[in-house]
Amino acid sequence: MIWKLSLSDFKNTNRFASGMIFLLSRIFKILLRIVIIFLVVSIGLVVLFRWVAVPVTPLMIIRCAEQKSDSKSMVLQHDWVPLEKISPRLQLAVVCSEDQNFLKHSGFDWGAIEKAMESNEDGRRLRGGSTISQQTAKNVFLWPGRSYIRKGFEAYFTLLIELVWSKQRIMEVYLNSIEMGNGIYGAEAAARHWFKKSAAQLNTDECAAITAILPNPRKYIANPPGPYIAKRKNWIKQQMNFWGNHLDYNKYNNEDTESSVNTNKRNKKAK
């Protein structure tokens, strides 16, 4: 059969093609605008929060909504304090428990991620590989969940805060934003709730206890601790001892500087 296209058919086909091109062009422009707005807003927020305290996080809002839907009394305790008013022992405790390569990596601990994937594939208890930087990005900018989309956004925000914030600032935001009990957010609120004192006054045992409940702060109790939390607390204290009970944010910067100086000296001697 031979198809014959009339002039009107050709014009209709041309109009359809032109319409599709116009539609795709409109969709592309809209998507481009959305991407540009997202980049401007996200970068702007990261730059802003480099100096400004984070007033509220998505998780806080979600938890309040859950409490409301369950007809429970709404609990939200959150008191922002500068890093200088948070016990150095608590800063060390979370590094020992959550991310021992925090001072070394640039947001991602690939070794820990690989071990977590191997553990999960073997059918053992689900194990996370998120760094403190990743947890900070998730808590401040995103919603809880395990979808690949959220993980993608988490990686994006992790890169941003590592580029814009110092390690001290990441730690400050982390310890002021994470969930540390049912409706309890941040070190100051946690210290008041669990031990009736300020975050600056926490001792080693108390810091380890609060840190021990972080994997599931709505399930576990820091004071008095159950058998599992007591075991985790002792392990964290042991790790803190291995670290010399001191967290030096400039440790690896100093080592890099010394290494560079020694290399220069060796090069001069060789000449």
Side-chain angles (χ1 to χ4, degrees):
M1 183 181 291
I2 300 174
W3 294 92
K4 293 183 179 180
L5 290 175
S6 65
L7 182 61
S8 61
D9 291 334
F10 179 78
K11 287 181 178 179
N12 288 336
T13 303
N14 194 38
R15 284 197 202 98
F16 176 76
S18 299
M20 286 298 295
I21 292 171
F22 175 76
L23 179 62
L24 290 172
S25 176
R26 290 277 296 176
I27 292 172
F28 176 77
K29 287 179 180 178
I30 291 171
L31 291 175
L32 183 61
R33 285 175 185 170
I34 291 172
V35 170
I36 291 173
I37 291 171
F38 170 74
L39 289 174
V40 171
V41 172
S42 61
I43 293 172
L45 284 174
V46 170
V47 172
L48 177 68
F49 289 148
R50 180 180 179 181
W51 293 284
V52 177
V54 180
V56 68
T57 67
L59 182 63
M60 295 177 192
I61 296 170
I62 290 169
R63 291 288 188 246
C64 286
E66 289 173 350
Q67 291 168 356
K68 189 72 174 176
S69 65
D70 293 339
S71 300
K72 296 178 180 178
S73 57
M74 199 173 295
V75 179
L76 200 170
Q77 297 179 31
H78 178 229
D79 299 304
W80 182 282
V81 292
L83 192 63
E84 295 76 25
K85 292 188 177 181
I86 298 175
S87 172
R89 297 182 186 89
L90 183 58
Q91 299 172 44
L92 175 60
V94 295
V95 168
C96 290
S97 174
E98 301 293 305
D99 182 8
Q100 294 204 7
N101 290 318
F102 174 62
L103 300 178
K104 290 182 180 180
H105 63 62
S106 298
F108 306 95
D109 187 343
W110 300 110
I113 293 172
E114 186 177 347
K115 287 179 182 177
M117 291 176 65
E118 290 174 357
S119 176
N120 297 340
E121 285 175 1
D122 290 342
R124 284 175 276 172
R125 185 173 60 87
L126 285 178
R127 174 179 173 179
S130 295
T131 63
I132 285 175
S133 302
Q134 288 175 274
Q135 292 180 49
T136 304
K138 177 187 71 175
N139 276 285
V140 175
F141 300 105
L142 302 170
W143 63 95
R146 292 181 176 271
S147 69
Y148 288 111
I149 293 175
R150 194 199 63 76
K151 282 290 184 183
F153 281 121
E154 179 185 300
Y156 166 75
F157 278 107
T158 299
L159 288 172
L160 271 186
I161 65 174
E162 280 282 348
L163 283 170
V164 178
W165 300 355
S166 65
K167 289 293 186 180
Q168 289 93 327
R169 180 57 178 174
I170 293 173
M171 179 63 73
E172 182 176 52
V173 175
Y174 174 76
L175 286 177
N176 274 289
S177 303
I178 57 171
E179 196 172 25
M180 292 182 163
N182 188 19
I184 312 300
Y185 303 91
E188 184 68 16
R192 298 288 181 187
H193 176 76
W194 293 117
F195 297 105
K196 313 302 180 188
K197 60 174 65 175
S198 71
Q201 296 172 319
L202 292 171
N203 61 35
T204 300
D205 195 74
E206 293 160 347
C207 290
I210 291 174
T211 303
I213 70 169
L214 293 184
N216 196 337
R218 293 195 296 166
K219 175 183 177 181
Y220 299 127
I221 297 173
N223 186 33
Y228 174 69
I229 294 302
K231 184 178 178 181
R232 270 186 56 81
K233 183 178 74 170
N234 289 332
W235 179 84
I236 292 168
K237 288 165 65 178
Q238 187 180 56
Q239 295 299 307
M240 293 170 73
N241 283 329
F242 290 155
W243 276 64
N245 290 302
H246 176 67
L247 183 64
D248 181 5
Y249 286 97
N250 297 313
K251 177 181 179 181
Y252 294 101
N253 291 336
N254 294 337
E255 286 183 0
D256 291 341
T257 302
E258 289 175 7
S259 177
S260 177
V261 170
N262 292 333
T263 301
N264 290 335
K265 286 181 178 178
R266 284 195 297 269
N267 290 339
K268 287 179 180 178
K269 287 180 179 178
K271 290 178 181 179

